[in-house]
PDB file of all heavy atoms in Angstrom:
ATOM      1  N   PHE J1152      13.584  23.649  -8.314  1.00 96.00           N
ATOM      2  CA  PHE J1152      14.498  22.739  -8.997  1.00 96.00           C
ATOM      3  C   PHE J1152      13.887  21.522  -9.683  1.00 96.00           C
ATOM      4  O   PHE J1152      14.511  20.915 -10.527  1.00 96.00           O
ATOM      5  CB  PHE J1152      15.569  22.290  -7.993  1.00 96.00           C
ATOM      6  CG  PHE J1152      16.438  23.389  -7.492  1.00 96.00           C
ATOM      7  CD1 PHE J1152      16.166  23.987  -6.266  1.00 96.00           C
ATOM      8  CD2 PHE J1152      17.503  23.855  -8.208  1.00 96.00           C
ATOM      9  CE1 PHE J1152      16.952  25.024  -5.771  1.00 96.00           C
ATOM     10  CE2 PHE J1152      18.304  24.905  -7.741  1.00 96.00           C
ATOM     11  CZ  PHE J1152      18.028  25.509  -6.537  1.00 96.00           C
ATOM     12  N   ALA J1182      19.592  16.914  -9.702  1.00 96.00           N
ATOM     13  CA  ALA J1182      19.358  18.301  -9.185  1.00 96.00           C
ATOM     14  C   ALA J1182      20.219  18.526  -7.977  1.00 96.00           C
ATOM     15  O   ALA J1182      20.853  19.614  -7.812  1.00 96.00           O
ATOM     16  CB  ALA J1182      17.879  18.469  -8.820  1.00 96.00           C
ATOM     17  N   GLU J1183      20.357  17.510  -7.098  1.00 95.00           N
ATOM     18  CA  GLU J1183      21.144  17.678  -5.859  1.00 95.00           C
ATOM     19  C   GLU J1183      22.658  17.794  -6.162  1.00 95.00           C
ATOM     20  O   GLU J1183      23.394  18.293  -5.298  1.00 95.00           O
ATOM     21  CB  GLU J1183      20.890  16.459  -4.951  1.00 95.00           C
ATOM     22  CG  GLU J1183      19.466  16.464  -4.357  1.00 95.00           C
ATOM     23  CD  GLU J1183      19.215  15.266  -3.501  1.00 95.00           C
ATOM     24  OE1 GLU J1183      20.062  14.364  -3.516  1.00 95.00           O
ATOM     25  OE2 GLU J1183      18.186  15.222  -2.798  1.00 95.00           O
ATOM     26  N   SER J1185      23.785  19.585  -8.675  1.00 96.00           N
ATOM     27  CA  SER J1185      24.025  20.812  -9.422  1.00 96.00           C
ATOM     28  C   SER J1185      24.530  21.888  -8.468  1.00 96.00           C
ATOM     29  O   SER J1185      24.176  21.958  -7.316  1.00 96.00           O
ATOM     30  CB  SER J1185      22.742  21.320 -10.093  1.00 96.00           C
ATOM     31  OG  SER J1185      21.784  21.719  -9.088  1.00 96.00           O
ATOM     32  N   PRO J1186      25.425  22.761  -8.966  1.00 95.00           N
ATOM     33  CA  PRO J1186      26.001  23.865  -8.099  1.00 95.00           C
ATOM     34  C   PRO J1186      24.863  24.772  -7.565  1.00 95.00           C
ATOM     35  O   PRO J1186      24.963  25.227  -6.393  1.00 95.00           O
ATOM     36  CB  PRO J1186      26.867  24.632  -9.091  1.00 95.00           C
ATOM     37  CG  PRO J1186      27.290  23.639 -10.140  1.00 95.00           C
ATOM     38  CD  PRO J1186      26.080  22.771 -10.303  1.00 95.00           C
ATOM     39  N   ASP J1187      23.851  25.046  -8.352  1.00 96.00           N
ATOM     40  CA  ASP J1187      22.768  25.888  -7.862  1.00 96.00           C
ATOM     41  C   ASP J1187      22.047  25.305  -6.686  1.00 96.00           C
ATOM     42  O   ASP J1187      21.730  25.966  -5.743  1.00 96.00           O
ATOM     43  CB  ASP J1187      21.767  26.180  -9.007  1.00 96.00           C
ATOM     44  CG  ASP J1187      22.336  27.108 -10.052  1.00 96.00           C
ATOM     45  OD1 ASP J1187      23.323  27.780  -9.789  1.00 96.00           O
ATOM     46  OD2 ASP J1187      21.726  27.189 -11.136  1.00 96.00           O
ATOM     47  N   TRP J1188      21.785  23.957  -6.768  1.00 95.00           N
ATOM     48  CA  TRP J1188      21.067  23.326  -5.631  1.00 95.00           C
ATOM     49  C   TRP J1188      21.957  23.263  -4.414  1.00 95.00           C
ATOM     50  O   TRP J1188      21.491  23.523  -3.308  1.00 95.00           O
ATOM     51  CB  TRP J1188      20.630  21.899  -5.993  1.00 95.00           C
ATOM     52  CG  TRP J1188      19.713  21.278  -4.997  1.00 95.00           C
ATOM     53  CD1 TRP J1188      18.387  21.331  -4.928  1.00 95.00           C
ATOM     54  CD2 TRP J1188      20.161  20.539  -3.825  1.00 95.00           C
ATOM     55  NE1 TRP J1188      17.916  20.680  -3.852  1.00 95.00           N
ATOM     56  CE2 TRP J1188      18.974  20.166  -3.129  1.00 95.00           C
ATOM     57  CE3 TRP J1188      21.358  20.105  -3.286  1.00 95.00           C
ATOM     58  CZ2 TRP J1188      18.957  19.402  -1.906  1.00 95.00           C
ATOM     59  CZ3 TRP J1188      21.403  19.402  -2.091  1.00 95.00           C
ATOM     60  CH2 TRP J1188      20.184  19.067  -1.452  1.00 95.00           C
ATOM     61  N   ILE J1189      23.240  22.972  -4.605  1.00 95.00           N
ATOM     62  CA  ILE J1189      24.153  22.912  -3.451  1.00 95.00           C
ATOM     63  C   ILE J1189      24.265  24.285  -2.758  1.00 95.00           C
ATOM     64  O   ILE J1189      24.208  24.374  -1.501  1.00 95.00           O
ATOM     65  CB  ILE J1189      25.540  22.458  -3.911  1.00 95.00           C
ATOM     66  CG1 ILE J1189      25.485  20.997  -4.422  1.00 95.00           C
ATOM     67  CG2 ILE J1189      26.573  22.605  -2.829  1.00 95.00           C
ATOM     68  CD1 ILE J1189      26.767  20.494  -5.094  1.00 95.00           C
ATOM     69  N   SER J1190      24.296  25.360  -3.541  1.00 96.00           N
ATOM     70  CA  SER J1190      24.310  26.668  -2.981  1.00 96.00           C
ATOM     71  C   SER J1190      22.993  27.009  -2.245  1.00 96.00           C
ATOM     72  O   SER J1190      22.993  27.528  -1.117  1.00 96.00           O
ATOM     73  CB  SER J1190      24.566  27.722  -4.075  1.00 96.00           C
ATOM     74  OG  SER J1190      24.466  29.026  -3.554  1.00 96.00           O
ATOM     75  N   TRP J1191      21.876  26.634  -2.867  1.00 94.00           N
ATOM     76  CA  TRP J1191      20.580  26.872  -2.271  1.00 94.00           C
ATOM     77  C   TRP J1191      20.437  26.075  -0.968  1.00 94.00           C
ATOM     78  O   TRP J1191      19.935  26.593   0.044  1.00 94.00           O
ATOM     79  CB  TRP J1191      19.463  26.450  -3.210  1.00 94.00           C
ATOM     80  CG  TRP J1191      18.128  26.383  -2.589  1.00 94.00           C
ATOM     81  CD1 TRP J1191      17.254  27.382  -2.411  1.00 94.00           C
ATOM     82  CD2 TRP J1191      17.541  25.192  -1.979  1.00 94.00           C
ATOM     83  NE1 TRP J1191      16.127  26.936  -1.705  1.00 94.00           N
ATOM     84  CE2 TRP J1191      16.286  25.617  -1.436  1.00 94.00           C
ATOM     85  CE3 TRP J1191      17.930  23.892  -1.832  1.00 94.00           C
ATOM     86  CZ2 TRP J1191      15.427  24.707  -0.782  1.00 94.00           C
ATOM     87  CZ3 TRP J1191      17.091  23.011  -1.174  1.00 94.00           C
ATOM     88  CH2 TRP J1191      15.867  23.422  -0.661  1.00 94.00           C
ATOM     89  N   ARG J1192      20.920  24.844  -0.977  1.00 93.00           N
ATOM     90  CA  ARG J1192      20.789  23.939   0.212  1.00 93.00           C
ATOM     91  C   ARG J1192      21.570  24.536   1.390  1.00 93.00           C
ATOM     92  O   ARG J1192      21.090  24.534   2.544  1.00 93.00           O
ATOM     93  CB  ARG J1192      21.335  22.577  -0.109  1.00 93.00           C
ATOM     94  CG  ARG J1192      21.318  21.607   1.050  1.00 93.00           C
ATOM     95  CD  ARG J1192      19.894  21.132   1.396  1.00 93.00           C
ATOM     96  NE  ARG J1192      19.843  20.152   2.395  1.00 93.00           N
ATOM     97  CZ  ARG J1192      19.929  20.379   3.697  1.00 93.00           C
ATOM     98  NH1 ARG J1192      20.009  21.633   4.138  1.00 93.00           N
ATOM     99  NH2 ARG J1192      19.933  19.420   4.604  1.00 93.00           N
ATOM    100  N   ALA J1193      22.751  25.067   1.151  1.00 94.00           N
ATOM    101  CA  ALA J1193      23.552  25.669   2.235  1.00 94.00           C
ATOM    102  C   ALA J1193      22.866  26.887   2.810  1.00 94.00           C
ATOM    103  O   ALA J1193      22.807  27.082   4.032  1.00 94.00           O
ATOM    104  CB  ALA J1193      24.918  26.069   1.683  1.00 94.00           C
ATOM    105  N   LYS J1194      22.288  27.743   1.909  1.00 94.00           N
ATOM    106  CA  LYS J1194      21.578  28.926   2.391  1.00 94.00           C
ATOM    107  C   LYS J1194      20.307  28.562   3.150  1.00 94.00           C
ATOM    108  O   LYS J1194      19.972  29.161   4.156  1.00 94.00           O
ATOM    109  CB  LYS J1194      21.273  29.820   1.185  1.00 94.00           C
ATOM    110  CG  LYS J1194      22.476  30.460   0.543  1.00 94.00           C
ATOM    111  CD  LYS J1194      22.112  31.263  -0.694  1.00 94.00           C
ATOM    112  CE  LYS J1194      23.315  31.894  -1.363  1.00 94.00           C
ATOM    113  NZ  LYS J1194      22.967  32.647  -2.589  1.00 94.00           N
ATOM    114  N   SER J1195      19.631  27.515   2.624  1.00 92.00           N
ATOM    115  CA  SER J1195      18.394  27.085   3.281  1.00 92.00           C
ATOM    116  C   SER J1195      18.663  26.570   4.681  1.00 92.00           C
ATOM    117  O   SER J1195      17.958  26.895   5.622  1.00 92.00           O
ATOM    118  CB  SER J1195      17.754  25.986   2.417  1.00 92.00           C
ATOM    119  OG  SER J1195      16.597  25.482   3.081  1.00 92.00           O
ATOM    120  N   GLU J1196      19.740  25.783   4.803  1.00 91.00           N
ATOM    121  CA  GLU J1196      20.106  25.214   6.135  1.00 91.00           C
ATOM    122  C   GLU J1196      20.495  26.329   7.078  1.00 91.00           C
ATOM    123  O   GLU J1196      20.176  26.310   8.258  1.00 91.00           O
ATOM    124  CB  GLU J1196      21.204  24.221   5.983  1.00 91.00           C
ATOM    125  CG  GLU J1196      21.566  23.500   7.255  1.00 91.00           C
ATOM    126  CD  GLU J1196      20.423  22.690   7.835  1.00 91.00           C
ATOM    127  OE1 GLU J1196      19.550  22.239   7.062  1.00 91.00           O
ATOM    128  OE2 GLU J1196      20.351  22.516   9.087  1.00 91.00           O
ATOM    129  N   ALA J1197      21.229  27.346   6.521  1.00 92.00           N
ATOM    130  CA  ALA J1197      21.622  28.470   7.395  1.00 92.00           C
ATOM    131  C   ALA J1197      20.419  29.262   7.874  1.00 92.00           C
ATOM    132  O   ALA J1197      20.338  29.630   9.047  1.00 92.00           O
ATOM    133  CB  ALA J1197      22.543  29.408   6.594  1.00 92.00           C
ATOM    134  N   ARG J1198      19.431  29.421   7.025  1.00 91.00           N
ATOM    135  CA  ARG J1198      18.194  30.099   7.413  1.00 91.00           C
ATOM    136  C   ARG J1198      17.451  29.315   8.467  1.00 91.00           C
ATOM    137  O   ARG J1198      16.980  29.856   9.497  1.00 91.00           O
ATOM    138  CB  ARG J1198      17.257  30.319   6.239  1.00 91.00           C
ATOM    139  CG  ARG J1198      17.689  31.422   5.287  1.00 91.00           C
ATOM    140  CD  ARG J1198      16.563  31.807   4.341  1.00 91.00           C
ATOM    141  NE  ARG J1198      16.246  30.671   3.457  1.00 91.00           N
ATOM    142  CZ  ARG J1198      16.817  30.438   2.286  1.00 91.00           C
ATOM    143  NH1 ARG J1198      17.751  31.236   1.856  1.00 91.00           N
ATOM    144  NH2 ARG J1198      16.434  29.408   1.558  1.00 91.00           N
TER     145      ARG J1198
END
Side-chain angles (χ1 to χ4, degrees):
F1152 295 98
E1183 291 178 349
S1185 69
D1187 287 345
W1188 189 90
I1189 293 172
S1190 175
W1191 168 85
R1192 178 71 175 83
K1194 292 177 181 178
S1195 176
E1196 185 61 28
R1198 284 194 297 271

